[in-house]
Amino acid sequence: MKELRVAMLGFGGIAKSHKRAYEQFETEGTPIRLVAVCDIDPEQFTKVEQINLGAARPYRMDGIAQYTDLDKMLAEQSFDMVDICLPTYLHKEYTLRMLAAGKHVMCEKPMSLCEADCREMLEAAKKAGKLLMIGMCLRFEPQYLFLKEIIDSGRFGALRYLNLSRLSPLPKWSFENWFQKTEKSGGCALDLHIHDVDMVRFLLGDPRAVSAVAQDDVTRWQYISSRFFYDQFCVEAVASWMEAPGCRFAAGYRACFEKATVILENNVITVYPADDKPYNPELGKENRMAEEIRLLARCIDEGSEINTVNTPESAAATVALVKKLCESADLGGKILDL
Ligand SMILES: NC(=O)c1ccc[n+]([C@@H]2O[C@H](COP(=O)([O-])OP(=O)(O)OC[C@H]3O[C@@H](n4cnc5c(N)ncnc54)[C@H](O)[C@@H]3O)[C@@H](O)[C@H]2O)c1
């Protein structure tokens, strides 16, 4: 693979996880090189931020140019791809700007705040002839790839039901507190629930109908419980930003098959076969952030047709499905056909 030079835009909470992926590439000798970072807040270049995903760790900044002005970074640095870790309300504006500047774009999830923005982003990438990928990172997470493999292979028979959950205290670390402003984040539905909504689509395709109930508090849709209607099985997903401040972030699933129940909780998967002892399957140790960036880098090198797992069109369809769930919640849980 030809060396790919990357710049990051936004260096807050999630950017520090992306940074670790670039450190992994350096250690592996993978030719994906972070050359510069840009954030309007220079304190972010040294801050070790604690976000809901887990313990923050120190990171290395040696050899990486640091900017607080994007135009200056564009003028002084040569790079092929930008990794956008900005707040959600800035995703569209900066994706369009970076595509117009001739850069390939990796942009954090959710793609943007509404379907019209997503369409503009897709069109801009086509017009620029550059690649766009959205960080739907669960599609690269070994714990969820295991679930996909057992559904696709039918190893435990047919799926009977699937429950997914993602529960967190209200995010408090963000720039100007943007997470807590629904018009900037889309609330828990678009920010957190989107991971499981996207996973449902990744695992099972689009449902024929959906419904949701929700509760508002500091943000709209701060708790949301969704149902996805398929003919052969039931799927439910719950997300919350209502948990007490001291609660640990918790995400997991329970999948019931004809011949086994499979549970992900506390970061451990346990398979309970119908006629044997429970066991913990061996999983890959891949870092999901590194794998999504690696896939975009390979697409830039080999052509976008190798991407069958995380297209920007699919990321846009996931935003549309979250919007449908919010619409249902606003109608008191009405079942809406797709
Ligand atoms: N994939 C995941 O699991 C995951 C987890 C957390 C957040 N996210 C997503 O990542 C994105 C960023 O979230 P975060 O938690 O890092 O937010 P954050 O507020 O911690 O970080 C955003 C950073 O952008 C900087 N910034 C704001 N405006 C800027 C501008 N115009 N130019 C340059 N820098 C600017 C801020 O100073 C801040 O450092 C969001 O879209 C969020 O939904 C994804």
Side-chain angles (χ1 to χ4, degrees):
M1 188 164 92
K2 205 169 132 254
E3 183 180 76
L4 185 78
R5 295 169 64 86
V6 181
M8 288 178 75
L9 185 48
F11 204 64
I14 199 62
K16 309 295 180 353
S17 299
H18 287 225
K19 174 71 181 62
R20 279 202 289 279
Y22 296 103
E23 289 176 9
Q24 180 188 321
F25 296 141
E26 199 183 328
T27 311
E28 289 168 0
T30 301
I32 303 173
R33 189 147 80 87
L34 182 65
V35 296
V37 296
C38 175
D39 196 296
I40 48 173
D41 174 5
E43 284 188 11
Q44 286 290 9
F45 302 138
T46 49
K47 209 164 168 183
V48 179
E49 191 67 89
Q50 185 74 46
I51 69 169
N52 60 4
L53 290 177
R57 278 183 269 151
Y59 49 89
R60 301 192 301 265
M61 291 301 275
D62 42 304
I64 297 168
Q66 296 164 19
Y67 292 89
T68 51
D69 178 344
L70 175 58
D71 288 326
K72 195 160 186 274
M73 181 168 84
L74 280 166
E76 291 182 1
Q77 294 291 326
S78 137
F79 57 96
D80 314 288
M81 179 190 127
V82 65
D83 183 349
I84 298 182
C85 293
L86 292 170
T88 300
Y89 62 94
L90 296 175
H91 286 182
K92 179 186 94 172
E93 178 187 339
Y94 283 89
T95 294
L96 298 192
R97 238 176 117 180
M98 292 295 94
L99 288 167
K103 312 298 179 190
H104 300 287
V105 175
M106 164 65 70
C107 177
E108 255 302 342
K109 53 52 60 179
M111 187 164 180
S112 195
L113 290 166
C114 66
E115 292 155 83
D117 280 5
C118 296
R119 276 195 298 275
E120 259 190 81
M121 291 161 81
L122 291 171
E123 279 159 24
K126 272 206 188 89
K127 189 167 158 221
K130 295 289 162 186
L131 297 188
L132 168 63
M133 185 176 284
I134 308 302
M136 306 310 307
C137 59
L138 282 197
R139 293 182 179 220
F140 300 86
E141 167 57 54
Q143 293 170 338
Y144 288 81
L145 291 174
F146 177 76
L147 180 57
K148 179 149 179 64
E149 188 277 316
I150 58 180
I151 290 174
D152 289 351
S153 68
R155 184 145 49 111
F156 299 124
L159 183 67
R160 288 166 157 173
Y161 79 73
L162 171 64
N163 287 355
L164 303 115
S165 65
R166 205 157 288 272
L167 312 171
S168 168
L170 199 57
K172 291 209 167 120
W173 64 84
S174 65
F175 169 71
E176 295 179 344
N177 207 15
W178 68 270
F179 275 116
Q180 295 189 25
K181 296 169 184 153
T182 312
E183 70 286 2
K184 295 192 163 176
S185 69
C188 175
L190 191 66
D191 194 80
L192 189 64
H193 196 41
I194 195 164
H195 282 295
D196 290 319
V197 174
D198 187 63
M199 188 43 53
V200 170
R201 296 189 57 254
F202 182 55
L203 294 170
L204 304 166
D206 279 312
R208 61 176 166 73
V210 290
S211 81
V213 289
Q215 228 174 298
D216 301 339
D217 191 15
V218 177
T219 75
R220 299 222 50 215
W221 308 294
Q222 194 167 324
Y223 169 90
I224 182 161
S225 169
S226 301
R227 277 158 194 71
F228 304 82
F229 296 93
Y230 293 87
D231 292 332
Q232 313 299 333
F233 40 78
C234 307
V235 179
E236 292 166 286
V238 173
S240 160
W241 273 351
M242 291 261 185
E243 311 309 299
C247 275
R248 213 159 43 88
F249 176 83
Y253 57 74
R254 183 177 281 253
C256 183
F257 296 86
E258 287 170 313
K259 295 184 221 158
T261 295
V262 180
I263 298 175
L264 168 65
E265 65 186 346
N266 297 328
N267 266 322
V268 176
I269 295 180
T270 309
V271 177
Y272 295 85
D275 53 6
D276 210 342
K277 287 200 205 89
Y279 66 93
N280 304 116
E282 281 284 316
L283 296 186
K285 299 260 183 290
E286 291 82 4
N287 166 342
R288 60 195 185 205
M289 301 298 177
E291 294 315 304
E292 68 186 13
I293 295 165
R294 194 193 307 276
L295 176 60
L296 178 54
R298 283 188 53 219
C299 289
I300 292 167
D301 205 47
E302 300 170 38
S304 61
E305 54 289 346
I306 66 165
N307 175 11
T308 53
V309 298
N310 187 30
T311 64
E313 288 80 8
S314 187
T318 295
V319 170
L321 189 53
V322 172
K323 292 286 160 187
K324 201 77 172 171
L325 291 163
C326 292
E327 187 187 333
S328 166
D330 282 346
L331 295 167
K334 186 171 179 196
I335 296 176
L336 300 175
D337 290 330
L338 295 187

